[in-house]
Amino acid sequence: MRSALSYLWRHPRRTGFIALNVVVLIAFVAWGAFTADMSNEGMGGVPNAMLGYTGMALLIVVWIVAWLAWAWLLARRHLLHRP
């Protein structure tokens, strides 16, 4: 376990990327649980539902941008270290 933690400490970008993915997955699960009972609230729940959908759309955009940035970082590193 200690070696795994020291590995993550040596690579803060990788650790941050893993943390971002965990936070996004937790947010997706929480959003699913939050919107599951929205149909019981009627018209009063529409603003909350729209806020939830807007937040999830923004989160998805951030997640996609993070994955593209990660892919760009890896591709650039592999191109620079090519023999």
Side-chain angles (χ1 to χ4, degrees), residues 8-59:
L8 290 174
W9 183 256
R10 284 191 316 254
H11 300 286
R13 281 182 286 189
R14 188 175 298 157
T15 305
F17 189 67
I18 292 169
L20 172 71
N21 285 308
V22 169
V23 167
V24 167
L25 291 176
I26 289 170
F28 280 143
V29 170
W31 177 65
F34 174 72
T35 57
D37 59 346
M38 275 286 134
S39 62
N40 298 336
E41 293 186 19
M43 288 301 290
V46 171
N48 291 334
M50 295 313 299
L51 183 64
Y53 281 111
T54 304
M56 278 299 112
L58 291 174
L59 185 64

